[in-house]
Amino acid sequence: MARLWFCEADTTAGRIGDMHHLGQKNLKDIEGDAFLIYQPQKRGSKKVSAPVQEALARELDLHDLSRKTFLVTEHGKPSANSGSLDNRVRKWIKRAGLVDLNGRVTHSQHGSRNGVATAMGEDGSSLFEIMALLGHSDP
């Protein structure tokens, strides 16, 4: 699940509040290419259409896509809310050793979102391309 979360976060640059809702229903084929399409929960956000990156496609091949959501608990159930998923993400990050000298986690879903946007800018994406992936409506 940790790797699936990371691939999903890297592909969508979504907010933690959206990650626990995504599932097979959000996968769409557009002219032979797979996209994750969803409406972010945050008020005023624009619909997001993110091309499924190779790492996520490979990871999804390893999971049961008939379940309601991609990310599930140890019991196979969707996360109850974004807070419960956020707690699991923090545990995964801590287990990966991404902590400071005091043992506090140094990475997060928001940090992943920020990192994807920064990398897009450094790779030459326009402001509007970055806004489209992040679901922003105002520069």
Side-chain angles (χ1 to χ4, degrees):
M1 270 311 113
R3 190 172 57 221
L4 179 56
W5 161 77
F6 178 80
C7 293
E8 187 177 311
D10 191 50
T11 287
T12 65
R15 293 178 182 88
I16 194 77
D18 297 319
M19 295 296 96
H20 68 289
H21 293 291
L22 300 181
Q24 177 69 27
K25 66 189 177 298
N26 301 99
L27 282 176
K28 307 289 184 219
D29 183 283
I30 300 175
E31 297 180 13
D33 293 318
F35 285 81
L36 264 175
I37 299 175
Y38 68 100
Q39 177 62 52
Q41 301 293 304
K42 185 175 180 180
R43 184 183 297 188
S45 295
K46 298 295 183 191
K47 186 178 257 187
V48 172
S49 178
V52 174
Q53 296 174 7
E54 185 178 336
L56 178 58
R58 284 194 316 260
E59 189 62 29
L60 288 173
D61 285 343
L62 302 173
H63 294 271
D64 175 10
L65 297 184
S66 67
R67 60 189 182 219
K68 186 175 179 180
T69 61
F70 296 140
L71 300 173
V72 295
T73 66
E74 303 81 37
H75 305 289
K77 305 280 186 205
S79 293
N81 54 49
S82 61
S84 62
L85 178 58
D86 190 42
N87 289 336
R88 290 179 62 217
V89 166
R90 289 180 188 282
K91 287 178 185 175
W92 293 331
I93 291 169
K94 191 170 190 172
R95 198 172 346 160
L98 300 171
V99 296
D100 65 15
L101 295 175
N102 296 317
R104 292 182 300 240
V105 297
T106 56
H107 293 69
S108 66
Q109 174 81 28
H110 187 76
S112 175
R113 181 174 164 79
N114 186 294
V116 169
T118 299
M120 287 177 70
E122 290 171 350
D123 287 344
S125 295
S126 73
L127 173 62
F128 296 105
E129 290 170 322
I130 296 169
M131 286 173 56
L133 184 64
L134 299 179
H136 288 178
S137 57
D138 184 356

